[in-house]
Coordinates of all heavy atoms in Angstrom, one line a residue:
M1 N -21.4 -36.0 -51.4 CA -21.9 -35.4 -52.6 C -23.0 -34.5 -52.3 O -24.2 -34.8 -52.4 CB -22.4 -36.5 -53.6 CG -22.1 -36.2 -55.1 SD -22.5 -37.5 -56.1 CE -24.3 -37.3 -56.3
K2 N -22.6 -33.2 -51.9 CA -23.8 -32.3 -51.6 C -23.6 -31.1 -52.5 O -22.6 -30.4 -52.6 CB -23.4 -31.8 -50.2 CG -23.9 -32.9 -49.1 CD -24.9 -32.2 -48.2 CE -25.6 -33.2 -47.3 NZ -26.7 -32.7 -46.6
E3 N -24.7 -30.8 -53.3 CA -24.7 -29.7 -54.1 C -24.9 -28.4 -53.3 O -25.7 -28.5 -52.3 CB -25.7 -29.8 -55.3 CG -25.5 -31.1 -56.1 CD -26.7 -32.0 -55.8 OE1 -26.7 -32.5 -54.8 OE2 -27.5 -32.2 -56.8
K4 N -24.4 -27.3 -53.7 CA -24.7 -26.0 -52.9 C -26.0 -25.5 -53.2 O -26.7 -25.1 -52.4 CB -23.6 -25.0 -53.2 CG -22.3 -25.3 -52.4 CD -21.4 -24.1 -52.2 CE -20.2 -24.4 -51.3 NZ -19.0 -24.5 -52.0
K5 N -26.4 -25.6 -54.6 CA -27.7 -25.1 -54.9 C -28.4 -26.3 -55.5 O -28.2 -26.7 -56.6 CB -27.4 -24.0 -56.1 CG -28.7 -23.1 -56.1 CD -28.4 -21.9 -56.9 CE -29.7 -20.9 -56.9 NZ -30.9 -21.5 -57.4
P6 N -29.3 -26.9 -54.6 CA -30.0 -28.0 -55.1 C -31.0 -27.5 -56.3 O -31.5 -26.4 -56.2 CB -30.8 -28.5 -53.9 CG -30.8 -27.3 -53.0 CD -29.6 -26.4 -53.4
V7 N -31.3 -28.5 -57.0 CA -32.4 -28.4 -58.1 C -33.7 -28.1 -57.4 O -34.0 -28.8 -56.5 CB -32.5 -29.6 -59.1 CG1 -33.5 -29.3 -60.1 CG2 -31.1 -29.8 -59.6
G8 N -34.5 -27.1 -57.9 CA -35.8 -26.9 -57.3 C -36.7 -28.1 -57.5 O -36.6 -28.9 -58.4
P9 N -37.6 -28.4 -56.5 CA -38.5 -29.4 -56.4 C -39.3 -29.6 -57.7 O -39.5 -30.7 -58.2 CB -39.4 -29.3 -55.3 CG -39.2 -27.8 -54.9 CD -37.9 -27.4 -55.4
H10 N -39.8 -28.5 -58.4 CA -40.6 -28.6 -59.6 C -39.8 -29.1 -60.7 O -40.2 -30.1 -61.5 CB -41.2 -27.2 -59.9 CG -42.2 -26.8 -59.0 ND1 -42.0 -25.9 -58.0 CD2 -43.5 -27.2 -58.9 CE1 -43.1 -25.7 -57.3 NE2 -44.2 -26.4 -57.8
K11 N -38.6 -28.6 -60.9 CA -37.7 -29.0 -61.9 C -37.3 -30.6 -61.7 O -37.4 -31.3 -62.6 CB -36.4 -28.2 -61.9 CG -35.7 -28.1 -63.4 CD -34.7 -27.1 -63.3 CE -33.9 -27.1 -64.6 NZ -32.8 -26.2 -64.6
L12 N -37.0 -30.8 -60.5 CA -36.6 -32.2 -60.2 C -37.7 -33.2 -60.5 O -37.5 -34.3 -61.0 CB -36.2 -32.3 -58.7 CG -35.6 -33.6 -58.3 CD1 -34.3 -33.9 -58.9 CD2 -35.4 -33.7 -56.7
L13 N -39.0 -32.8 -60.0 CA -40.1 -33.7 -60.3 C -40.2 -33.9 -61.7 O -40.5 -35.0 -62.2 CB -41.3 -33.1 -59.8 CG -42.6 -33.7 -59.9 CD1 -42.5 -34.9 -59.0 CD2 -43.9 -32.9 -59.6
K14 N -40.1 -32.8 -62.6 CA -40.2 -33.0 -64.0 C -39.2 -34.0 -64.7 O -39.4 -34.8 -65.4 CB -40.1 -31.6 -64.7 CG -41.0 -31.4 -65.7 CD -40.6 -29.9 -66.3 CE -41.6 -28.9 -65.7 NZ -41.4 -27.6 -66.2
I15 N -37.9 -33.9 -64.1 CA -36.9 -34.8 -64.5 C -37.2 -36.3 -64.1 O -37.2 -37.1 -64.9 CB -35.5 -34.4 -63.9 CG1 -35.1 -33.0 -64.4 CG2 -34.5 -35.4 -64.2 CD1 -33.9 -32.5 -63.6
C16 N -37.7 -36.4 -62.9 CA -38.0 -37.8 -62.4 C -39.2 -38.3 -63.2 O -39.3 -39.5 -63.5 CB -38.4 -37.7 -60.9 SG -37.0 -37.5 -59.9
R17 N -40.2 -37.4 -63.5 CA -41.3 -37.9 -64.1 C -40.8 -38.4 -65.6 O -41.3 -39.4 -66.1 CB -42.4 -36.9 -64.3 CG -43.8 -37.5 -64.3 CD -44.8 -36.4 -64.4 NE -44.5 -35.1 -63.8 CZ -45.3 -34.2 -63.7 NH1 -46.5 -34.1 -64.3 NH2 -45.0 -33.0 -63.2
R18 N -40.0 -37.7 -66.2 CA -39.6 -37.9 -67.6 C -38.8 -39.3 -67.6 O -39.1 -40.2 -68.4 CB -38.8 -36.7 -68.1 CG -38.9 -36.6 -69.7 CD -38.3 -35.4 -70.1 NE -39.2 -34.2 -69.7 CZ -38.7 -33.0 -69.8 NH1 -37.5 -32.7 -70.2 NH2 -39.6 -32.1 -69.5
L19 N -38.0 -39.5 -66.6 CA -37.1 -40.7 -66.4 C -38.1 -41.8 -66.2 O -38.0 -42.8 -66.9 CB -36.3 -40.5 -65.2 CG -34.8 -40.1 -65.4 CD1 -34.1 -40.1 -64.2 CD2 -34.2 -41.3 -66.3
F20 N -39.1 -41.7 -65.3 CA -40.1 -42.7 -65.0 C -40.8 -43.3 -66.2 O -40.8 -44.4 -66.5 CB -41.1 -42.2 -63.9 CG -42.0 -43.3 -63.5 CD1 -41.6 -44.2 -62.5 CD2 -43.3 -43.4 -63.9 CE1 -42.5 -45.2 -62.1 CE2 -44.3 -44.4 -63.7 CZ -43.8 -45.2 -62.8
F21 N -41.2 -42.3 -67.1 CA -41.9 -42.6 -68.2 C -41.0 -43.3 -69.3 O -41.5 -44.1 -70.0 CB -42.8 -41.5 -68.8 CG -44.1 -41.2 -68.1 CD1 -44.2 -40.0 -67.4 CD2 -45.0 -42.3 -67.9 CE1 -45.4 -39.8 -66.6 CE2 -46.1 -42.0 -67.1 CZ -46.3 -40.8 -66.5
S22 N -39.8 -42.7 -69.4 CA -39.0 -43.4 -70.4 C -38.6 -44.9 -69.9 O -38.5 -45.8 -70.8 CB -37.7 -42.6 -70.7 OG -37.2 -42.1 -69.6
G23 N -38.5 -45.0 -68.6 CA -38.3 -46.4 -68.0 C -39.5 -47.2 -68.3 O -39.4 -48.3 -68.8
A24 N -40.6 -46.7 -68.1 CA -41.9 -47.5 -68.3 C -42.0 -47.9 -69.7 O -42.3 -49.0 -70.1 CB -43.0 -46.6 -67.8
L25 N -41.7 -46.9 -70.7 CA -41.8 -47.1 -72.1 C -40.8 -48.3 -72.5 O -41.2 -49.2 -73.2 CB -41.5 -45.9 -72.8 CG -42.0 -45.8 -74.3 CD1 -43.6 -45.7 -74.2 CD2 -41.4 -44.7 -74.9
T26 N -39.6 -48.2 -72.1 CA -38.5 -49.2 -72.2 C -39.1 -50.7 -71.9 O -39.1 -51.6 -72.6 CB -37.2 -48.8 -71.6 OG1 -36.9 -47.5 -71.8 CG2 -36.2 -49.8 -72.1
M27 N -39.5 -50.6 -70.6 CA -40.0 -51.9 -70.1 C -41.2 -52.4 -70.8 O -41.2 -53.7 -71.0 CB -40.4 -51.6 -68.6 CG -40.5 -52.9 -67.8 SD -42.2 -53.4 -67.8 CE -42.9 -52.3 -66.6
L28 N -42.2 -51.6 -71.0 CA -43.4 -52.1 -71.8 C -43.0 -52.6 -73.2 O -43.7 -53.5 -73.6 CB -44.4 -50.9 -71.9 CG -45.1 -50.7 -70.6 CD1 -46.0 -49.5 -70.6 CD2 -45.9 -51.9 -70.1
T29 N -42.1 -51.9 -73.9 CA -41.8 -52.2 -75.3 C -41.1 -53.6 -75.2 O -41.4 -54.4 -76.0 CB -40.8 -51.1 -75.9 OG1 -41.3 -49.9 -75.7 CG2 -40.5 -51.4 -77.3
A30 N -40.2 -53.8 -74.2 CA -39.4 -54.9 -74.2 C -40.5 -56.1 -73.8 O -40.4 -57.2 -74.4 CB -38.4 -54.9 -73.1
A31 N -41.4 -55.8 -72.9 CA -42.4 -56.8 -72.4 C -43.3 -57.2 -73.6 O -43.6 -58.4 -73.8 CB -43.2 -56.2 -71.3
Y32 N -43.6 -56.3 -74.4 CA -44.4 -56.5 -75.6 C -43.7 -57.4 -76.6 O -44.3 -58.4 -77.0 CB -44.7 -55.2 -76.3 CG -45.6 -55.3 -77.5 CD1 -46.9 -55.5 -77.5 CD2 -44.9 -55.2 -78.7 CE1 -47.7 -55.5 -78.6 CE2 -45.6 -55.2 -79.9 CZ -47.0 -55.4 -79.8 OH -47.7 -55.6 -81.1
L33 N -42.4 -57.1 -76.7 CA -41.6 -57.8 -77.8 C -41.4 -59.3 -77.1 O -41.4 -60.3 -77.9 CB -40.3 -57.2 -78.0 CG -40.4 -55.9 -78.9 CD1 -39.1 -55.2 -79.0 CD2 -41.0 -56.3 -80.3
I34 N -41.1 -59.3 -75.8 CA -40.9 -60.7 -75.2 C -42.3 -61.5 -75.4 O -42.1 -62.7 -75.7 CB -40.6 -60.5 -73.7 CG1 -39.3 -59.9 -73.5 CG2 -40.9 -61.8 -73.0 CD1 -38.9 -59.5 -72.1
G35 N -43.4 -60.9 -75.2 CA -44.6 -61.6 -75.4 C -44.8 -62.2 -76.8 O -45.0 -63.4 -77.1
H36 N -44.3 -61.3 -77.9 CA -44.4 -61.7 -79.2 C -43.4 -62.9 -79.5 O -43.8 -63.9 -80.1 CB -44.2 -60.6 -80.1 CG -45.4 -59.8 -80.6 ND1 -45.9 -60.1 -81.8 CD2 -46.2 -59.1 -79.9 CE1 -47.0 -59.4 -82.0 NE2 -47.3 -58.7 -80.8
F37 N -42.3 -62.7 -79.0 CA -41.3 -63.9 -79.3 C -41.6 -65.0 -78.7 O -41.5 -66.2 -79.2 CB -39.9 -63.3 -78.7 CG -39.1 -62.4 -79.8 CD1 -38.9 -61.2 -79.6 CD2 -38.5 -63.1 -80.8 CE1 -38.1 -60.4 -80.4 CE2 -37.8 -62.3 -81.8 CZ -37.5 -61.0 -81.6
Y38 N -42.3 -65.0 -77.6 CA -42.7 -66.2 -76.8 C -43.7 -66.9 -77.6 O -43.8 -68.1 -77.6 CB -43.3 -65.7 -75.5 CG -43.0 -66.7 -74.3 CD1 -41.8 -66.9 -73.7 CD2 -44.1 -67.6 -74.0 CE1 -41.7 -67.8 -72.7 CE2 -44.0 -68.6 -73.1 CZ -42.7 -68.7 -72.4 OH -42.5 -69.7 -71.5
T39 N -44.7 -66.1 -78.2 CA -45.7 -66.7 -78.9 C -45.2 -67.4 -80.2 O -45.6 -68.5 -80.6 CB -46.8 -65.7 -79.3 OG1 -46.9 -64.8 -78.3 CG2 -48.1 -66.3 -79.7
W40 N -44.3 -66.7 -80.8 CA -43.7 -67.3 -82.1 C -42.8 -68.4 -82.0 O -42.8 -69.3 -82.7 CB -43.0 -66.1 -82.8 CG -43.8 -65.1 -83.2 CD1 -45.3 -65.0 -83.5 CD2 -43.6 -63.7 -83.6 NE1 -45.7 -63.9 -84.0 CE2 -44.7 -63.0 -84.0 CE3 -42.4 -63.0 -83.6 CZ2 -44.7 -61.7 -84.4 CZ3 -42.3 -61.7 -84.0 CH2 -43.4 -61.1 -84.3
R41 N -41.9 -68.2 -81.0 CA -40.7 -69.1 -81.0 C -40.6 -69.9 -79.6 O -39.5 -70.3 -79.3 CB -39.4 -68.3 -81.2 CG -39.6 -67.6 -82.5 CD -38.1 -67.2 -83.0 NE -37.5 -66.3 -82.2 CZ -36.3 -65.7 -82.5 NH1 -35.5 -66.3 -83.4 NH2 -35.9 -64.8 -81.8
G42 N -41.6 -69.8 -78.8 CA -41.5 -70.6 -77.5 C -40.6 -69.9 -76.6 O -40.6 -68.6 -76.5
N43 N -39.7 -70.7 -76.1 CA -38.8 -70.1 -74.9 C -37.6 -69.4 -75.4 O -36.8 -68.8 -74.7 CB -38.2 -71.3 -74.2 CG -38.7 -71.2 -72.7 OD1 -38.8 -70.0 -72.3 ND2 -38.7 -72.2 -72.0
D44 N -37.5 -69.3 -76.9 CA -36.3 -68.6 -77.4 C -36.5 -67.1 -77.5 O -36.4 -66.5 -78.5 CB -36.2 -69.3 -78.8 CG -34.8 -68.8 -79.5 OD1 -33.9 -68.4 -78.6 OD2 -34.7 -68.8 -80.7
V45 N -36.5 -66.5 -76.3 CA -36.5 -65.1 -76.2 C -35.1 -64.5 -76.2 O -34.3 -64.9 -75.3 CB -37.4 -64.6 -75.2 CG1 -37.4 -63.1 -74.9 CG2 -38.8 -65.1 -75.3
S46 N -34.9 -63.5 -76.9 CA -33.5 -62.9 -76.8 C -33.2 -62.3 -75.5 O -33.9 -61.6 -74.8 CB -33.5 -61.7 -77.9 OG -32.3 -60.9 -77.6
V47 N -31.9 -62.6 -74.9 CA -31.5 -62.1 -73.7 C -31.6 -60.5 -73.7 O -32.0 -59.9 -72.6 CB -30.0 -62.6 -73.4 CG1 -29.6 -62.1 -72.0 CG2 -30.1 -64.1 -73.4
F48 N -31.3 -59.9 -74.8 CA -31.3 -58.5 -74.8 C -32.6 -57.9 -74.5 O -32.7 -56.8 -73.8 CB -30.9 -58.1 -76.4 CG -31.2 -56.7 -76.6 CD1 -30.1 -55.8 -76.1 CD2 -32.3 -56.2 -77.2 CE1 -30.3 -54.4 -76.3 CE2 -32.6 -54.7 -77.4 CZ -31.4 -53.9 -77.0
L49 N -33.7 -58.5 -74.7 CA -35.0 -58.1 -74.4 C -35.3 -58.1 -73.0 O -35.8 -57.2 -72.3 CB -36.1 -58.9 -75.1 CG -36.3 -58.6 -76.6 CD1 -37.4 -59.4 -77.2 CD2 -36.6 -57.1 -76.8
W50 N -34.8 -59.2 -72.3 CA -34.8 -59.3 -70.7 C -34.1 -58.2 -70.1 O -34.4 -57.5 -69.2 CB -34.5 -60.7 -70.2 CG -35.3 -61.8 -70.7 CD1 -35.1 -62.8 -71.7 CD2 -36.6 -62.1 -70.3 NE1 -36.1 -63.6 -71.7 CE2 -37.2 -63.1 -70.9 CE3 -37.5 -61.4 -69.2 CZ2 -38.4 -63.7 -70.6 CZ3 -38.7 -61.9 -69.0 CH2 -39.2 -63.1 -69.7
I51 N -32.8 -58.0 -70.8 CA -32.0 -56.9 -70.2 C -32.7 -55.6 -70.3 O -32.7 -54.7 -69.4 CB -30.6 -56.9 -70.9 CG1 -29.8 -58.2 -70.6 CG2 -29.8 -55.7 -70.5 CD1 -28.6 -58.4 -71.3
A52 N -33.2 -55.2 -71.6 CA -33.9 -54.0 -71.8 C -35.1 -53.9 -70.8 O -35.3 -52.8 -70.2 CB -34.5 -54.0 -73.2
A53 N -35.9 -54.9 -70.5 CA -36.9 -54.9 -69.6 C -36.4 -54.6 -68.2 O -37.0 -53.7 -67.4 CB -37.8 -56.1 -69.6
G54 N -35.3 -55.2 -67.8 CA -34.6 -55.0 -66.5 C -34.2 -53.5 -66.4 O -34.5 -53.0 -65.4
V55 N -33.6 -53.1 -67.5 CA -33.1 -51.6 -67.5 C -34.3 -50.7 -67.3 O -34.2 -49.8 -66.4 CB -32.2 -51.3 -68.6 CG1 -32.0 -49.8 -68.8 CG2 -30.9 -52.1 -68.7
G56 N -35.3 -51.0 -68.0 CA -36.5 -50.1 -67.9 C -37.1 -50.1 -66.5 O -37.3 -49.1 -65.9
I57 N -37.1 -51.2 -65.8 CA -37.5 -51.4 -64.4 C -36.6 -50.6 -63.5 O -37.1 -49.9 -62.6 CB -37.7 -52.8 -63.9 CG1 -38.9 -53.4 -64.7 CG2 -37.9 -52.9 -62.5 CD1 -38.9 -54.9 -64.7
L58 N -35.2 -50.8 -63.7 CA -34.4 -50.1 -62.9 C -34.5 -48.6 -63.1 O -34.3 -47.9 -62.0 CB -32.9 -50.4 -63.3 CG -32.4 -51.7 -62.8 CD1 -31.1 -52.1 -63.3 CD2 -32.4 -51.7 -61.2
I59 N -34.7 -48.1 -64.2 CA -34.9 -46.6 -64.5 C -36.1 -46.2 -63.8 O -36.1 -45.1 -63.0 CB -35.0 -46.3 -66.0 CG1 -33.7 -46.6 -66.7 CG2 -35.4 -44.8 -66.2 CD1 -33.8 -46.5 -68.2
M60 N -37.3 -46.9 -63.7 CA -38.4 -46.6 -63.1 C -38.2 -46.5 -61.6 O -38.5 -45.5 -60.9 CB -39.5 -47.5 -63.4 CG -40.2 -47.3 -64.8 SD -41.1 -48.9 -65.2 CE -42.6 -48.6 -64.1
A61 N -37.6 -47.5 -61.1 CA -37.2 -47.6 -59.6 C -36.3 -46.4 -59.2 O -36.5 -45.8 -58.2 CB -36.6 -49.0 -59.3
G62 N -35.4 -46.2 -60.0 CA -34.4 -45.2 -59.7 C -35.1 -43.8 -59.7 O -34.8 -43.0 -58.8
S63 N -35.9 -43.5 -60.7 CA -36.5 -42.2 -60.7 C -37.4 -42.1 -59.5 O -37.5 -40.9 -58.9 CB -37.3 -42.0 -62.0 OG -38.4 -42.8 -62.1
L64 N -38.2 -43.1 -59.0 CA -39.0 -43.1 -58.0 C -38.2 -42.8 -56.7 O -38.5 -42.0 -55.8 CB -39.8 -44.4 -57.8 CG -41.1 -44.5 -58.6 CD1 -41.8 -45.9 -58.4 CD2 -42.1 -43.4 -58.3
L65 N -37.1 -43.6 -56.6 CA -36.2 -43.4 -55.3 C -35.7 -41.9 -55.2 O -35.7 -41.3 -54.2 CB -35.0 -44.4 -55.5 CG -35.3 -45.8 -54.8 CD1 -34.1 -46.7 -55.1 CD2 -35.6 -45.7 -53.4
T66 N -35.3 -41.5 -56.5 CA -34.8 -40.1 -56.4 C -35.8 -39.1 -56.0 O -35.5 -38.2 -55.3 CB -34.3 -39.7 -57.9 OG1 -33.4 -40.7 -58.4 CG2 -33.6 -38.3 -58.0
A67 N -37.1 -39.4 -56.6 CA -38.1 -38.4 -56.2 C -38.4 -38.5 -54.6 O -38.6 -37.5 -54.0 CB -39.4 -38.8 -56.9
F68 N -38.4 -39.7 -54.2 CA -38.7 -39.9 -52.7 C -37.6 -39.3 -51.8 O -37.9 -38.8 -50.8 CB -39.0 -41.4 -52.4 CG -40.4 -41.7 -52.7 CD1 -40.8 -42.4 -53.8 CD2 -41.3 -41.5 -51.7 CE1 -42.1 -42.7 -54.0 CE2 -42.7 -41.9 -51.8 CZ -43.0 -42.5 -53.0
S69 N -36.4 -39.5 -52.3 CA -35.2 -39.1 -51.4 C -34.9 -37.5 -51.6 O -34.4 -36.9 -50.8 CB -34.1 -39.9 -51.6 OG -33.6 -39.9 -52.9
K70 N -35.1 -37.0 -52.8 CA -34.6 -35.7 -53.2 C -35.7 -34.6 -53.1 O -35.3 -33.4 -53.1 CB -33.9 -35.6 -54.4 CG -32.8 -36.7 -54.5 CD -31.4 -35.9 -54.2 CE -30.4 -37.0 -54.3 NZ -29.1 -36.5 -54.5
L71 N -36.9 -35.0 -53.3 CA -38.0 -33.9 -53.3 C -38.3 -33.5 -51.9 O -39.1 -34.0 -51.2 CB -39.2 -34.5 -54.0 CG -39.2 -34.4 -55.5 CD1 -40.5 -35.2 -56.1 CD2 -39.1 -33.0 -56.0
R72 N -37.6 -32.4 -51.6 CA -37.8 -31.9 -50.3 C -38.1 -30.4 -50.5 O -37.9 -29.7 -51.3 CB -36.5 -31.9 -49.5 CG -36.2 -33.3 -49.3 CD -34.9 -33.6 -48.5 NE -34.7 -35.1 -48.2 CZ -35.3 -35.7 -47.2 NH1 -36.2 -35.0 -46.4 NH2 -35.2 -36.9 -47.1
C73 N -38.7 -29.9 -49.2 CA -39.0 -28.5 -49.1 C -37.8 -27.8 -49.0 O -36.9 -28.0 -48.4 CB -39.8 -28.3 -47.8 SG -40.0 -26.6 -47.3
P74 N -37.7 -26.8 -50.0 CA -36.3 -25.9 -50.0 C -36.1 -25.1 -48.8 O -35.1 -24.5 -48.6 CB -36.6 -25.1 -51.2 CG -38.0 -25.0 -51.5 CD -38.5 -26.2 -51.1
Y75 N -37.2 -24.9 -47.9 CA -37.2 -24.0 -46.8 C -36.7 -24.8 -45.6 O -35.8 -24.5 -44.8 CB -38.5 -23.3 -46.6 CG -38.8 -22.5 -47.8 CD1 -39.9 -23.0 -48.6 CD2 -38.2 -21.4 -48.2 CE1 -40.3 -22.2 -49.7 CE2 -38.5 -20.6 -49.3 CZ -39.6 -21.1 -50.0 OH -40.0 -20.4 -51.3
C76 N -37.4 -26.1 -45.3 CA -37.1 -26.7 -44.1 C -36.6 -28.1 -44.3 O -36.2 -28.7 -43.4 CB -38.5 -26.7 -43.3 SG -39.7 -27.8 -44.0
G77 N -36.6 -28.5 -45.5 CA -36.0 -29.8 -45.8 C -36.9 -31.0 -45.6 O -36.5 -32.1 -45.7
A78 N -38.2 -30.7 -45.3 CA -39.2 -31.9 -45.1 C -39.4 -32.5 -46.5 O -39.5 -31.9 -47.5 CB -40.4 -31.3 -44.5
S79 N -39.5 -33.9 -46.5 CA -39.8 -34.7 -47.5 C -41.3 -34.3 -48.1 O -42.1 -34.2 -47.3 CB -39.8 -36.1 -47.3 OG -40.2 -36.9 -48.4
L80 N -41.3 -34.1 -49.4 CA -42.6 -33.7 -50.0 C -43.3 -34.9 -50.5 O -44.4 -34.9 -50.9 CB -42.3 -32.7 -51.2 CG -41.7 -31.4 -50.7 CD1 -41.5 -30.6 -52.1 CD2 -42.6 -30.7 -49.7
M81 N -42.6 -36.1 -50.4 CA -43.3 -37.3 -50.9 C -43.7 -38.2 -49.7 O -43.9 -39.5 -49.9 CB -42.2 -38.1 -51.8 CG -42.0 -37.4 -53.1 SD -43.6 -37.3 -54.0 CE -43.3 -35.8 -54.8
A82 N -43.7 -37.7 -48.6 CA -44.0 -38.4 -47.4 C -45.5 -38.8 -47.4 O -46.2 -38.3 -48.1 CB -43.8 -37.7 -46.1
G83 N -45.7 -40.0 -46.7 CA -47.1 -40.4 -46.8 C -47.6 -41.2 -48.0 O -48.8 -41.2 -48.3
G84 N -46.6 -41.8 -48.7 CA -47.0 -42.6 -49.9 C -47.5 -41.8 -51.0 O -48.1 -42.3 -51.9
R85 N -47.1 -40.5 -51.1 CA -47.5 -39.7 -52.1 C -46.9 -40.1 -53.3 O -45.6 -40.3 -53.4 CB -47.0 -38.3 -51.8 CG -48.0 -37.1 -52.4 CD -47.3 -35.9 -52.1 NE -47.7 -35.0 -53.2 CZ -48.9 -34.4 -53.2 NH1 -49.6 -34.5 -52.2 NH2 -49.2 -33.5 -54.2
M86 N -47.5 -40.3 -54.5 CA -46.8 -40.6 -55.7 C -46.3 -39.3 -56.4 O -47.0 -38.3 -56.3 CB -47.8 -41.2 -56.8 CG -48.1 -42.6 -56.5 SD -46.7 -43.7 -56.4 CE -46.2 -43.8 -58.1
P87 N -45.1 -39.5 -56.9 CA -44.5 -38.3 -57.4 C -45.1 -37.8 -58.8 O -44.5 -37.7 -59.7 CB -43.0 -38.6 -57.6 CG -43.0 -40.1 -57.7 CD -44.3 -40.6 -57.0
S88 N -46.3 -37.4 -58.7 CA -47.0 -36.9 -59.9 C -47.2 -35.4 -59.9 O -47.1 -34.8 -60.9 CB -48.3 -37.5 -60.1 OG -49.1 -37.4 -59.0
S89 N -47.4 -34.9 -58.7 CA -47.6 -33.5 -58.5 C -47.0 -33.1 -57.1 O -47.0 -34.0 -56.3 CB -49.0 -33.0 -58.8 OG -49.7 -33.6 -57.7
L90 N -46.7 -31.8 -57.0 CA -46.2 -31.3 -55.8 C -47.4 -30.7 -55.1 O -48.2 -30.1 -55.6 CB -45.2 -30.2 -55.9 CG -43.7 -30.7 -56.4 CD1 -42.8 -29.6 -56.6 CD2 -43.2 -31.7 -55.3
P91 N -47.3 -30.6 -53.7 CA -48.3 -30.0 -53.0 C -48.1 -28.4 -53.1 O -47.0 -28.1 -53.4 CB -48.1 -30.4 -51.6 CG -46.7 -30.9 -51.4 CD -46.5 -31.4 -52.9
H92 N -49.1 -27.6 -53.0 CA -48.8 -26.2 -53.2 C -48.2 -25.6 -51.9 O -47.4 -24.5 -52.0 CB -50.2 -25.4 -53.4 CG -50.8 -25.8 -54.7 ND1 -50.2 -25.4 -55.8 CD2 -51.9 -26.5 -55.0 CE1 -51.0 -25.9 -56.9 NE2 -52.1 -26.4 -56.4
F93 N -48.3 -26.3 -50.7 CA -47.7 -25.8 -49.6 C -46.8 -27.0 -48.9 O -47.3 -28.2 -49.1 CB -48.7 -25.4 -48.7 CG -49.5 -24.1 -49.2 CD1 -50.8 -24.4 -49.7 CD2 -49.1 -22.9 -49.1 CE1 -51.5 -23.4 -50.2 CE2 -49.7 -21.8 -49.6 CZ -51.0 -22.1 -50.2
C94 N -45.8 -26.6 -48.4 CA -45.0 -27.6 -47.6 C -45.9 -28.1 -46.4 O -46.5 -27.4 -45.7 CB -43.8 -26.9 -47.0 SG -42.9 -28.0 -45.9
P95 N -45.9 -29.5 -46.4 CA -46.8 -30.1 -45.3 C -46.1 -29.9 -43.9 O -46.9 -30.0 -42.9 CB -46.8 -31.6 -45.7 CG -45.6 -31.7 -46.5 CD -45.3 -30.4 -47.3
D96 N -44.9 -29.4 -43.9 CA -44.3 -29.2 -42.6 C -44.3 -27.8 -42.1 O -44.8 -27.5 -41.0 CB -42.8 -29.9 -42.7 CG -42.4 -30.5 -41.3 OD1 -43.3 -31.2 -40.8 OD2 -41.4 -30.1 -40.8
C97 N -43.8 -26.9 -42.9 CA -43.6 -25.5 -42.5 C -44.7 -24.6 -43.1 O -44.8 -23.5 -42.7 CB -42.2 -24.9 -42.8 SG -41.9 -24.9 -44.6
G98 N -45.4 -25.2 -44.1 CA -46.6 -24.4 -44.6 C -46.2 -23.4 -45.6 O -47.2 -22.6 -46.0
K99 N -45.0 -23.2 -46.0 CA -44.7 -22.2 -47.0 C -45.0 -22.7 -48.3 O -45.1 -23.8 -48.6 CB -43.1 -22.0 -47.0 CG -42.7 -21.2 -45.7 CD -41.3 -20.7 -45.8 CE -41.0 -19.7 -44.7 NZ -39.5 -19.6 -44.4
T100 N -45.4 -21.6 -49.2 CA -45.8 -22.0 -50.6 C -44.6 -22.5 -51.4 O -43.5 -22.1 -51.3 CB -46.4 -20.8 -51.3 OG1 -46.8 -21.2 -52.6 CG2 -45.4 -19.6 -51.3
L101 N -44.9 -23.5 -52.1 CA -43.9 -24.2 -52.9 C -44.0 -23.9 -54.4 O -43.4 -24.3 -55.3 CB -44.0 -25.7 -52.8 CG -43.8 -26.3 -51.4 CD1 -44.2 -27.7 -51.3 CD2 -42.4 -26.1 -51.0
D102 N -45.0 -23.0 -54.8 CA -45.2 -22.6 -56.1 C -44.2 -21.8 -56.7 O -44.0 -21.8 -58.0 CB -46.7 -21.9 -56.2 CG -47.8 -22.9 -56.1 OD1 -47.5 -24.1 -56.3 OD2 -48.9 -22.6 -55.8
D103 N -43.4 -21.0 -56.0 CA -42.5 -20.1 -56.5 C -41.1 -20.4 -56.1 O -40.3 -19.5 -56.0 CB -42.9 -18.6 -56.3 CG -43.1 -18.4 -54.8 OD1 -42.9 -19.5 -54.0 OD2 -43.4 -17.3 -54.3
C104 N -40.8 -21.6 -55.9 CA -39.5 -21.9 -55.3 C -38.5 -22.3 -56.4 O -37.4 -22.6 -56.2 CB -39.5 -22.8 -54.2 SG -40.4 -24.5 -54.6
D105 N -38.9 -22.4 -57.7 CA -38.0 -22.5 -58.7 C -38.4 -22.0 -60.0 O -38.1 -20.8 -60.3 CB -37.4 -24.0 -59.0 CG -38.5 -24.9 -59.3 OD1 -39.6 -24.6 -59.6 OD2 -38.2 -26.1 -59.2
Ligands
LIG201 ZN1 -41.0 -26.7 -45.3

């Protein structure tokens, strides 16, 4: 599965960030509701909420994985998330070849 024209890193980062936050929101909402149900009804928490929380976590993990594996320098292919960098912003220059990343998409 190789695309000929890959999505630029800025666009990809935006997509990943949006995905990550919607996953986080899903997970937090579910966790909040689970907490409420737990207080009200003891152990009788709807399975749906656990699934929603799980899906939220999966979306978060998936967006992080995508960011870590796909965010690469368009010139030399070096990973832009190397060194434990959180996918919140891109460096202005490629850490490997030093080319500017500001105008690559
Ligand atoms: Zn590079």
Side-chain angles (χ1 to χ4, degrees):
M1 218 177 77
K2 286 233 167 194
E3 304 111 291
K4 279 201 177 102
K5 202 172 184 302
V7 182
H10 290 99
K11 204 170 178 189
L12 188 68
L13 181 72
K14 223 178 265 178
I15 296 169
C16 287
R17 210 181 330 181
R18 212 165 287 168
L19 260 179
F20 182 82
F21 281 119
S22 40
L25 200 71
T26 309
M27 195 269 281
L28 286 175
T29 310
Y32 176 80
L33 288 175
I34 287 170
H36 263 257
F37 273 107
Y38 210 82
T39 323
W40 294 336
R41 305 198 288 179
N43 237 337
D44 189 22
V45 177
S46 167
V47 180
F48 172 78
L49 286 178
W50 292 108
I51 294 172
V55 168
I57 290 169
L58 277 181
I59 294 173
M60 285 166 72
S63 66
L64 278 181
L65 274 177
T66 309
F68 272 95
S69 61
K70 301 261 174 159
L71 276 176
R72 294 180 176 280
C73 169
Y75 306 105
C76 68
S79 173
L80 300 176
M81 290 298 145
R85 212 189 148 81
M86 282 307 285
S88 55
S89 65
L90 284 176
H92 291 295
F93 300 97
C94 169
D96 214 47
C97 66
K99 284 195 175 155
T100 177
L101 298 169
D102 283 342
D103 53 359
C104 55
D105 58 16

